[in-house]
Amino acid sequence: MDSSQLLGITTFTYLFSTLLYVAIFVFKAPRLGTPATLFTFLAWVIQTAGLILRWKESYNLGFGHAPLTNMYESVVFFAWVIIILYLAIEWKFKTKVIGAFAVPFAFLAMAYASFSTDISKTINPLVPALQSNWLIAHVVTCFVGYAAFAVAAALGIMYLMKSREAGRQTGESSSLLSSLPPLKTIDDITHKTMVFGFIWLSGGIITGAIWANSAWGTYWSWDPKETWSLITWFLYAITLHAKYTRGWSGTKIAFLSIFGFVAVLFTYYGVNFLLAGLHSYGSS
C-alpha cells in the first residue's frame, strides 16, 4: 500500500465522520458522538501514516524532502491540521456538534486533493528555491494559521445560524439549532481560534521573509503571494484590534471570520493559479 491509497482512505473516512457529525446536529443524536470522534481520530491517524509514508517514498526516490512542497501535499497537510485543531477544541469544550461545521472543511480539502485533475500527486525533486531548511518552518506555521482560520470560519457560520434563529422561540428550525452551543460560547471559541491563527500566520510571514532572503536575496519583493499574505494578516489584525478596542463581538466577528477565510483561500489557492509570481511553483 502506498501513501496515495492511505490518503484516499482518509478522504472517505472524513466523509463518514462528516455524515456522523451532521447526523448529531440534524437528528439530535448525541449517542453518535463517540463514534464520530473515534472515526475522525482514526482518519487522522491514517492520514498521519500517509504523510509519513509519502516522506519515506520521497527518500526512496532519492529526493528526500518533507511532504509539504506542492499544492497536493499542502492541501493534505491543511486538512491534517484542521482535524487536529478541531479535535483539540472538541476535547477542550466538550461540544461535538462543532464537528458538523469544521470536519467538512477537512473532507472537502482531502476530496480536492484526491480527485482534482488540476494538481499533481507526483513526488518531484525540489526546485532550488525550495531547497532550504526554512521550508518546513514556513509551510507549517502558515498552514497551522490557515487551518485555525478555517475552523474560525466554521464557528462564524455556526454563530450566524444560531443568532438568526435566536429571536424565534418555536418551530422545527429553532429546535434544530438549540443543539448548538450558546452564542457567547461560540463567540469566545471563534475569538480564541482567530488569535491562535493570527499568531501562527505572523510566524509564517516572518519565516517566509527569512526564507525569501536566503532564496532570492531580499526579505520582501511584493510578490502576489507575499502581498496577499500581508492583506490577509491586516484583515485579521484589524478584526482583533476592533474587538479589543471597540468591543466588537458576535455577528460582526462572525462575518469577519468568514470574510477573512475567503481572503485566506485566495491567498492560498487563487494567487497560485491566477497571479504569476515567485510562488508559481505552488500551483503544481
Side-chain angles (χ1 to χ4, degrees):
M1 181 171 287
D2 60 24
S3 61
S4 295
Q5 291 172 313
L6 284 176
L7 295 174
I9 293 171
T10 301
T11 303
F12 288 103
T13 313
Y14 281 152
L15 172 61
F16 188 62
S17 298
T18 296
L19 295 176
L20 286 174
Y21 280 116
V22 170
I24 294 170
F25 172 54
V26 174
F27 301 111
K28 302 183 73 172
R31 65 183 183 282
L32 296 177
T34 299
T37 302
L38 289 176
F39 270 101
T40 304
F41 181 71
L42 174 63
W44 183 81
V45 171
I46 296 172
Q47 188 177 12
T48 304
L51 286 168
I52 294 172
L53 183 56
R54 188 173 175 88
W55 200 337
K56 184 176 181 298
E57 290 167 350
S58 171
Y59 273 93
N60 292 341
L61 291 170
F63 305 144
H65 57 73
L68 300 167
T69 59
N70 58 25
M71 176 61 82
Y72 172 75
E73 293 171 346
S74 66
V75 171
V76 171
F77 183 70
F78 177 54
W80 186 85
V81 181
I82 288 175
I83 291 300
I84 195 171
L85 288 179
Y86 164 69
L87 289 174
I89 290 173
E90 180 183 302
W91 174 78
K92 173 70 175 177
F93 295 95
K94 314 297 181 191
T95 304
K96 294 182 183 295
V97 73
I98 296 175
F101 296 83
V103 175
F105 280 96
F107 162 65
L108 291 173
M110 287 301 298
Y112 175 71
S114 298
F115 303 116
S116 174
T117 57
D118 295 333
I119 56 178
S120 171
K121 302 179 181 65
T122 306
I123 300 174
N124 293 314
L126 295 180
V127 298
L130 298 179
Q131 296 173 7
S132 168
N133 291 328
W134 286 100
L135 168 67
I136 296 177
H138 175 60
V139 175
V140 168
T141 48
C142 280
F143 279 91
V144 171
Y146 289 174
F149 294 143
V151 176
L155 290 162
I157 294 170
M158 278 183 62
Y159 186 94
L160 294 177
M161 291 176 63
K162 179 85 173 181
S163 63
R164 187 174 181 181
E165 294 294 325
R168 304 175 186 177
Q169 300 301 318
T170 60
E172 183 179 350
S173 59
S174 296
S175 176
L176 176 68
L177 295 171
S178 66
S179 62
L180 297 179
L183 287 173
K184 185 176 180 180
T185 300
I186 301 174
D187 185 54
D188 179 55
I189 303 174
T190 304
H191 170 237
K192 290 175 178 174
T193 307
M194 288 176 68
V195 170
F196 181 81
F198 182 73
I199 293 170
W200 281 90
L201 178 61
S202 301
I205 291 174
I206 293 170
T207 54
I210 297 171
W211 181 17
N213 186 53
S214 65
W216 301 311
T218 177
Y219 289 98
W220 198 268
S221 55
W222 296 107
D223 173 73
K225 178 75 80 175
E226 296 172 350
T227 303
W228 273 95
S229 294
L230 191 61
I231 291 171
T232 302
W233 186 89
F234 270 112
L235 280 174
Y236 284 101
I238 292 169
T239 299
L240 295 174
H241 179 75
K243 182 172 181 63
Y244 290 124
T245 61
R246 301 277 183 175
W248 283 17
S249 62
T251 302
K252 291 179 180 176
I253 296 298
F255 272 118
L256 287 170
S257 70
I258 297 169
F259 184 64
F261 185 59
V262 172
V264 168
L265 287 178
F266 187 79
T267 302
Y268 174 25
Y269 184 84
V271 169
N272 283 349
F273 288 93
L274 300 177
L275 302 175
L278 295 172
H279 288 76
S280 295
Y281 53 79
S283 62
S284 62

